[in-house]
């Protein structure tokens, strides 16, 4: 995969104070862990604090109305995850400086997954492992205990910004490898502004951490649209990245169909009948060995079989195959795709242009 340029500004510079505060607090945890491993620890903890705050907000509403505060349906009807008593933040905060803090967090994650089917097998449960410094973990829990993830004054979930900001910071640290899960916000925003996905089905066949969907939802919201007018579909082959996306979308209250599991888009298309109105993607550049010969007769290659050594035009044709008659595509491809003649790519490109 070619190195995709990573921006240092996630598009949140106007509110960078809060995001930086979250990042600085979480950075206490790092120790000797590398960024690829450390990000799941941090993002999972942020997610846990977020759903705890959202739960508490709904809990207090029910309490004020003298309703049953333990009625699970009263939370799910408001798109709030139900947090069982043993997993609530006060329990975690009380255990912050106990040796078993890691196990307490792991157990909380398991309990939340059990009560919320959308989160089954999604949340990280590795906080009790020996290499994670429990003293530092407890200090971060203390810091998070004093940060409200939901801005009650404006009604906006400020954690969504922090989550995206931290994804960007991890991308900076991981460098080239980060292209698998993160596309710079400036690139995503450009695609969204061009396509203007106000209404219809939105699809990303290599969705990474879900940035295209988040920016699409923000676009609709900023232009006084209705999020109920868009439907979100996607998939990703990397199991860890797929879980990141589900957490990211949950934080932003975006309901999406990312398939029941992670899967290779070429060999296991999880949305075979989908015809999308908007397709936005940043597929891995110049992916080799994507076709072992079993895909040679696939109906998606309307304009010609892409070379097995480079998947650029396989991605493009896959997207065209899933496009509705009035649909639009916005994607990022390697520069060489504009001029390459190898493996029949020039002929494929010519046919696509002539058919447009």
């Amino acid at each position: 995969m070619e190195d995709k340029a990573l921006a240092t500004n996630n598009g949140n510079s106007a509110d960078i104070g809060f995001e930086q505060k979250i990042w600085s607090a979480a950075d206490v945890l790092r120790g000797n862990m590398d960024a690829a491993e450390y990000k799941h620890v941090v993002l999972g903890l942020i997610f846990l604090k977020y759903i705890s705050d959202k739960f508490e907000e709904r809990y207090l509403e029910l309490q004020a109305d003298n309703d049953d505060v333990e009625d699970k349906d009263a939370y799910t009807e408001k798109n709030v995850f139900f947090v069982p008593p043993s997993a609530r933040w006060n329990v975690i905060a009380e255990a912050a400086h106990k040796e078993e803090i890691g196990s307490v967090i792991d157990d909380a994650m398991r309990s939340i997954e059990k009560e919320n089917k959308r989160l089954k097998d999604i949340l990280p449960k590795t906080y009790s492992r020996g290499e994670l410094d429990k003293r530092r973990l407890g200090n971060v829990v203390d810091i998070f205990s004093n940060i409200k993830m939901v801005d009650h004054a404006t009604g906006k979930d400020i954690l969504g910004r922090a989550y995206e900001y931290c994804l960007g910071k991890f991308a900076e640290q991981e460098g080239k490898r980060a292209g698998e899960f993160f596309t710079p916000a400036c690139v995503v925003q450009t695609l969204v502004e061009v396509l203007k996905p106000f209404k219809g089905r939105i699809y990303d066949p290599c969705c990474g951490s879900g940035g295209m969907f988040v920016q699409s939802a923000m676009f609709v919201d900023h232009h006084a649209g209705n999020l109920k007018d868009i439907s979100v579909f996607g998939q990703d082959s990397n199991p860890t990245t797929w879980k990141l996306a589900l957490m990211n979308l949950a934080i932003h209250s975006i309901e999406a169909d990312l398939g029941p599991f992670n899967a290779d888009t070429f060999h296991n298309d999880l949305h075979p009948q989908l015809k999308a109105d908007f397709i936005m993607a940043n597929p891995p550049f110049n992916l080799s060995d994507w076709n072992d010969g079993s895909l040679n007769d696939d109906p998606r290659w309307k304009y010609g079989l892409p070379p097995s050594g480079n998947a650029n035009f396989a991605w493009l044709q896959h997207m065209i195959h899933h496009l509705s008659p009035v649909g639009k595509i916005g994607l990022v491809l390697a520069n060489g795709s504009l001029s390459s003649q190898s493996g029949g790519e020039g002929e494929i490109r010519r046919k696509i242009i002539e058919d447009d």
Side-chain angles (χ1 to χ4, degrees):
M1 186 189 303
E2 287 187 2
D3 195 1
K4 301 175 187 178
L6 297 172
T8 57
N9 184 342
N10 273 22
N12 293 323
S13 56
D15 302 295
I16 210 68
F18 177 80
E19 288 87 340
Q20 183 61 54
K21 185 177 181 181
I22 289 284
W23 174 256
S24 297
D27 204 39
V28 171
L29 265 179
R30 183 169 187 181
N32 295 322
M33 299 170 68
D34 66 38
E37 181 181 15
Y38 160 61
K39 75 169 177 282
H40 302 296
V41 174
V42 171
L43 294 174
L45 197 58
I46 292 175
F47 183 80
L48 179 59
K49 181 57 165 66
Y50 167 77
I51 62 174
S52 297
D53 277 8
K54 291 289 285 185
F55 174 85
E56 181 185 6
E57 182 182 43
R58 179 60 176 153
Y59 183 100
L60 294 175
E61 289 175 356
L62 294 171
Q63 192 175 59
D65 293 336
N66 292 318
D67 289 331
D68 184 1
V69 294
E70 299 297 336
D71 179 9
K72 186 175 176 180
D73 291 339
Y75 295 90
T76 55
E77 70 183 12
K78 295 292 186 178
N79 201 29
V80 174
F81 293 110
F82 181 78
V83 180
S86 63
R88 291 172 190 170
W89 192 261
N90 65 298
V91 175
I92 294 168
E94 289 171 4
H97 297 289
K98 297 179 180 179
E99 185 61 31
E100 64 268 23
I101 178 60
S103 297
V104 170
I105 295 175
D106 285 346
D107 289 343
M109 295 291 192
R110 293 187 186 95
S111 297
I112 291 170
E113 286 187 342
K114 184 177 180 180
E115 294 290 343
N116 301 274
K117 292 182 179 179
R118 281 176 58 193
L119 298 177
K120 180 176 172 56
D121 298 327
I122 299 302
L123 305 182
K125 297 171 283 290
T126 57
Y127 293 87
S128 59
R129 66 187 191 277
E131 59 267 31
L132 183 58
D133 188 315
K134 303 306 184 294
R135 180 186 60 82
R136 293 183 179 186
L137 179 58
N139 289 339
V140 174
V141 169
D142 278 347
I143 295 170
F144 277 25
S145 294
N146 295 315
I147 297 176
K148 278 293 182 183
M149 300 297 190
V150 180
D151 186 347
H152 299 284
T154 65
K156 294 182 179 179
D157 296 334
I158 50 183
L159 180 65
R161 300 200 312 266
Y163 193 93
E164 290 283 311
Y165 178 77
C166 288
L167 278 173
K169 296 294 284 185
F170 283 122
E172 291 177 15
Q173 292 183 353
E174 291 191 49
K176 184 175 181 179
R177 290 179 300 168
E180 295 180 4
F181 71 88
F182 182 79
T183 301
C186 58
V187 175
V188 182
Q189 288 166 358
T190 298
L191 292 177
V192 171
E193 290 289 341
V194 170
L195 295 187
K196 296 179 171 53
F198 277 116
K199 184 177 182 180
R201 296 172 295 275
I202 301 173
Y203 175 51
D204 184 345
C206 43
C207 65
S209 57
M212 298 289 183
F213 304 137
V214 171
Q215 289 294 334
S216 294
M218 291 175 63
F219 177 85
V220 172
D221 183 56
H222 291 166
H223 290 80
N226 190 337
L227 287 179
K228 293 182 179 179
D229 289 338
I230 62 173
S231 302
V232 172
F233 301 86
Q235 77 177 80
D236 200 273
S237 62
N238 185 305
T240 306
T241 302
W242 180 73
K243 292 176 182 180
L244 278 180
L246 290 170
M247 290 169 60
N248 194 13
L249 296 179
I251 280 177
H252 288 88
S253 300
I254 299 172
E255 293 192 24
D257 180 356
L258 303 189
F261 43 74
N262 62 289
D264 183 295
T265 301
F266 295 133
H267 290 271
N268 188 7
D269 185 354
L270 298 180
H271 308 286
Q273 306 304 318
L274 175 66
K275 295 298 180 182
D277 301 294
F278 304 97
I279 300 178
M280 292 173 281
N282 179 18
F285 290 177
N286 306 318
L287 182 68
S288 61
D289 300 323
W290 63 277
N291 179 15
D292 57 6
S294 61
L295 297 174
N296 286 359
D297 297 321
D298 195 289
R300 286 174 289 183
W301 321 139
K302 177 180 177 181
Y303 303 102
L305 177 65
S308 60
N310 194 316
N312 289 345
F313 281 92
W315 285 114
L316 180 54
Q317 290 192 83
H318 172 87
M319 294 178 210
I320 293 173
H321 176 79
H322 280 289
L323 201 62
S324 74
V326 294
K328 299 177 180 178
I329 296 175
L331 78 157
V332 182
L333 279 182
N335 291 339
S337 301
L338 293 174
S339 57
S340 173
Q341 299 292 328
S342 62
E345 289 181 331
E347 185 66 13
I348 294 173
R349 184 172 57 249
R350 181 185 65 79
K351 290 179 179 179
I352 291 174
I353 293 172
E354 290 178 350
D355 195 39
D356 187 14

